[in-house]
Amino acid sequence: MKLLVTGGAGFIGSAFVRLVLKEHPRFRVVNLDKLTYAGNLENLAEVAESPKYRFVKGDIADGEAVEKLFAQEKPDAVVHFAAESHVDRSILSPEPVVRTNFHGTFCLLEAARRNGAGRFLHVSTDEVYGSLEEPREADENYPLNPSSPYSASKAGSDLLALSYHTTYKLPVTVTRASNNYGPFQFPEKLIPLMISNALENKPLPIYGDGRQVRDWLFVEDHCRALLAVLENGRSGQIYNIGGSLALPNREVVERILEATDKPATLMTTVTDRPGHDRRYALSSAKLQRETGWAPLVSFEEGLPLTVRWYRDNSDWVRRVKSGEYQQYYERNYANR
Ligand code: NAD
Ligand code: TYD
């Protein structure tokens, strides 16, 4: 079975490619990735020489190139990760977010429709449901209420993907996962940013009161859920994928300080993010019922494992933090 994976050089995509090639000998993978600031072929070093793997550098929003690749590779299934994935960057520069997340998804759907992909798994996020009041949990029928250009572009692409199922009978399935964490995550998101800053004795910038709640999912648990959906999920359906634990940001940061053995004085409060969602919470009951999936890695195991990975891979961190990252950091944090 040949999978076309988009965004396979990013955090979750690379974890998925490594897992598939390690544990599922019946899959071959073609990885289409533009290698933006977030794409890194180092994340795929362990599979680079595999005869079952091919890397193609390209832009999902380039319709002609995408069409050519589909015609050439004739994938049995598409697993679509490629995106501009960060809320803060989407606030600073929304244009590439809309282009990649919405128009890029459109180009892939069109190519899949014309070339007849057997399955189209669109990887999305719980952020499309927006901020939920305690004690609500979003199931798959919960109304969409995205707050940021990032989450709005994902909500739009979810609807477009589902319309290809309704209109053209393309076998589309949408998944919506909560906040992922784990090795190889670009240090712009909360957990890897706080870990790497703590390890370098730099301030840990908490937005606003730090009481915003996120549900945390270990990246490998997410990838196993995607495989379960690929094998047993139904076309035209949406599946939520939630983690093991919902926590306020401040508590996550305190746990990171504990795991890195650093003082609480590193925590600093900075101006809140505009349009900041207070709370995400979702139910994965449908996925659990239909596929038997459940998260295997608790936060108590996953966080120290992740801290260890960042400690042991300081060269990777140094390389990804050089160049463009410094400008982004300055732009996002200097005046708040
Ligand atoms: P990431 O930012 O780490 O990686 C994104 C990858 O997509 C990079 O390799 C990048 O080079 C590639 N890419 C970006 N624009 C592209 C384009 N135009 N053409 C081809 N490739 C392009 O992202 P991630 O955290 O691994 O997220 C992957 C997917 O999972 C995204 O669709 C995201 O919305 C979704 N998701 C992420 C989380 C999370 O917590 N990170 C949670 C739920 C869902
Ligand atoms: P993030 O990892 O950017 O994911 P998302 O916004 O998609 O949920 O942020 C997670 C939470 O952490 C969010 O409530 C914003 C907060 N946060 C900070 O307080 N400080 C930071 O430096 C970052 C990056 C995030």
Side-chain angles (χ1 to χ4, degrees), residues 15 22 34 55 77 79-80 103 109 118 144 149 162 189 218 227 232 246 261 276 323 325:
K22 195 162 77 189
K34 187 180 173 183
F55 174 68
V79 186
H80 173 33
H103 184 68
L109 289 165
L144 300 181
L162 290 167
K189 309 267 169 44
F218 191 64
L227 278 167
N232 298 312
D261 204 16
H276 197 171
Y325 182 82

Side-chain angles (χ1 to χ4, degrees), residues 256-324:
I256 289 170
L257 286 169
E258 212 175 278
T260 51
D261 204 16
K262 299 290 177 178
T265 47
L266 283 182
M267 282 198 277
T268 57
T269 296
V270 301
T271 308
D272 206 352
R273 172 192 279 171
H276 197 171
D277 287 332
R278 292 294 295 178
R279 177 175 174 269
Y280 297 142
L282 79 174
S283 159
S284 333
K286 177 176 172 182
L287 177 68
Q288 304 208 0
R289 195 173 58 243
E290 291 193 21
T291 71
W293 173 86
L296 298 177
V297 181
S298 69
F299 203 65
E300 285 66 30
E301 280 173 273
L303 188 67
L305 186 158
T306 304
V307 168
R308 213 172 311 126
W309 188 88
Y310 280 86
R311 209 194 280 280
D312 294 347
N313 289 275
S314 52
D315 286 349
W316 182 95
V317 175
R318 194 175 29 77
R319 279 193 293 273
V320 302
K321 275 188 160 185
S322 64
E324 188 271 349

Side-chain angles (χ1 to χ4, degrees), residues 34 36-38 81-87 89-90 93 95-98 100-101 150 153-154 189:
K34 187 180 173 183
T36 66
Y37 77 91
F81 294 95
E84 289 292 338
S85 69
H86 189 34
V87 173
R89 286 188 192 249
S90 86
S93 314
E95 198 275 337
V97 178
V98 175
T100 288
N101 299 5
Y150 164 68
S153 70
K154 293 298 288 187
K189 309 267 169 44

Side-chain angles (χ1 to χ4, degrees), residues 85-88 125 127 150 179 185 188-194 204-208 210 212-214 216 249 253 270 273 276-278 280 328-329 332-333:
S85 69
H86 189 34
V87 173
D88 291 312
T125 166
E127 301 194 24
Y150 164 68
N179 285 61
Q185 186 168 27
E188 63 187 356
K189 309 267 169 44
L190 179 74
I191 288 185
L193 184 140
M194 296 296 176
L204 310 186
I206 296 180
Y207 297 168
Q212 306 84 0
V213 171
R214 297 293 184 267
W216 293 102
N249 293 336
V253 175
V270 301
R273 172 192 279 171
H276 197 171
D277 287 332
R278 292 294 295 178
Y280 297 142
Y328 160 71
Y329 204 86
N332 195 45
Y333 293 96

